[in-house]
Amino acid sequence: MSSATSPAAAPQALDRAAGRERRYDIDLLRVLCTAAVVLVHASAEFIDAGHRTTGILGDTAGRFAVPVFFAMAGWAALSGAPVRDEARLLARLGRILRPMALWTALYLLAAYVSGGNRDQAGEEAVRALFGSVQAAFHLWYLYAYVPLLLLLGVVVLVVRGRALPRRSAVLLAALAVAPALLGDVTTLTGWAPPDWAWSVPLSSVVYAVAGAALLAAPRRGPRALWAAAAAVAFAVLAVYQLTVRHPAAYGSAVVAAVTFAVLGTVAGVRVPERVRPLVARLSDASFGTYLVHLVFVTLLAGPAAGHLPAGPWAPVALAGTTVAAAALSFAVSLLWGRLGWRAWLG
């Protein structure tokens, strides 16, 4: 497989461009970010259980993941594997939307069976069409990721092909006018639809474009300097989250500093040949891992945090449950990949 593998949270979302050397550094970055997302959600369980300092420090260690995913999406869409026609762009989006829809339904069904939302099951299902729901709250990222890929894909097709991809442009326009249209519906009918989440913040577009430039750059400066900057940025972010605001906004200066320091540290790193096959397999399984990991975080991190007394064992418990949840999530994603179910399960 080529370097065109999607480096963001949708491993099969991008076409494979023949003749390109695979970017194992981006595969590695993708695996690290997926594990970091598991850490962030496990940390939230510890915060909810009263282990605030441990949870916030864990969240700090993984807060770079989402912005880096946007950066890798930008690199893939603009440099690594730009689409060559509208059909491929729409197919790329479909390979994200199918697993997204299926897992949303599965999480809603699980919540219904467990008794969590039986009185509001229909309402929750409708809300899922407009934005992420509590049962699958971690999927909020895809409500921004899909419009971002669509926007960048249309730009690439217009610039390179000098022609407007009509269907994609209409879809992009529909996403753009939907919030105002829904507001007008409320004014005219009195019905208040759920909040519209199919949109991409400007900060995410900047991460995508600037991250693409950094990942594609032939020279990035001394890696040791980037690593030192990352260490300082993580320390500043930890202090910020402990004293000013938690969670720190992804568009904040402190998160941006961590994000680009991590990108500069990992981009271009040489992955040893003996571990490249493993890194590639884990990278291919990252989207499925992202989709399923909340199950294992809930089963492992939640009970561990809830039964843990106050004391020094919280960091150990957080690390252990995060590793276990990530390992199990990668394992099941690898399994259904071998069974040929990745098109639907991610």
Side-chain angles (χ1 to χ4, degrees), residues 1-5 11-12 16-17 20-22 24 27 30 280 283-284:
M1 188 172 59
S2 71
S3 64
T5 303
Q12 302 303 323
R16 299 175 179 183
R20 293 178 183 268
E21 182 181 355
R22 182 158 185 158
Y24 289 99
D27 281 334
R30 191 156 161 237
S283 176
D284 292 342

Side-chain angles (χ1 to χ4, degrees), residues 34-330:
T34 304
V37 168
V38 180
L39 174 60
V40 167
H41 291 147
S43 298
E45 298 286 346
F46 277 74
I47 293 172
D48 291 343
H51 305 285
R52 181 176 182 272
T53 300
T54 294
I56 289 179
L57 292 177
D59 179 273
T60 298
R63 188 136 289 264
F64 69 91
V66 167
V68 170
F69 275 140
F70 283 123
M72 291 188 290
W75 170 82
L78 299 175
S79 176
V83 291
R84 286 175 287 199
D85 54 57
E86 185 178 29
R88 297 189 186 196
L89 173 58
L90 295 176
R92 186 174 292 186
L93 297 178
R95 288 194 290 270
I96 302 169
L97 292 171
R98 280 193 302 270
M100 178 184 178
L102 178 60
W103 279 100
T104 298
L106 290 175
Y107 278 110
L108 288 172
L109 178 61
Y112 178 82
V113 170
S114 65
N117 69 340
R118 289 186 177 179
D119 295 336
Q120 301 177 331
E123 179 182 343
E124 285 286 278
V126 172
R127 283 185 57 208
L129 299 175
F130 292 80
S132 60
V133 292
Q134 182 57 35
F137 69 88
H138 64 305
L139 300 185
W140 72 267
Y141 164 75
L142 295 179
Y143 289 85
Y145 182 76
V146 168
L148 175 65
L149 278 188
L150 180 61
L151 172 63
L152 296 179
V154 168
V155 169
V156 166
L157 291 175
V158 169
V159 171
R160 293 195 172 190
R162 302 186 184 279
L164 183 66
R166 293 185 179 86
R167 290 174 294 169
S168 299
V170 169
L171 180 57
L172 187 62
L175 293 178
V177 304
L181 178 61
L182 292 175
D184 293 341
V185 168
T186 299
T187 300
L188 293 173
T189 67
W191 175 62
D195 293 335
W196 183 257
W198 293 94
S199 61
V200 54
L202 179 59
S203 61
S204 298
V205 178
V206 173
Y207 280 132
V209 176
L214 182 56
L215 289 170
R219 295 186 180 88
R220 304 175 187 88
R223 195 175 309 280
L225 188 59
W226 283 108
V232 173
F234 274 115
V236 172
L237 177 58
V239 172
Y240 177 86
Q241 291 211 116
L242 286 168
T243 61
V244 180
R245 177 182 175 182
H246 175 266
Y250 287 120
S252 65
V254 285
V255 174
V258 169
T259 298
F260 288 109
V262 169
L263 283 172
T265 301
V266 181
V269 69
R270 185 182 182 280
V271 178
E273 291 188 14
R274 65 181 181 278
V275 301
R276 287 180 182 179
L278 174 61
V279 171
R281 287 196 298 272
L282 293 177
S283 176
D284 292 342
S286 291
F287 189 31
T289 300
Y290 160 75
L291 292 169
V292 75
H293 80 274
L294 199 61
V295 173
F296 297 108
V297 167
T298 303
L299 292 175
L300 299 176
H307 292 89
L308 193 68
W313 291 105
V316 177
L318 174 58
T321 54
T322 297
V323 170
L328 289 169
S329 300
F330 272 110

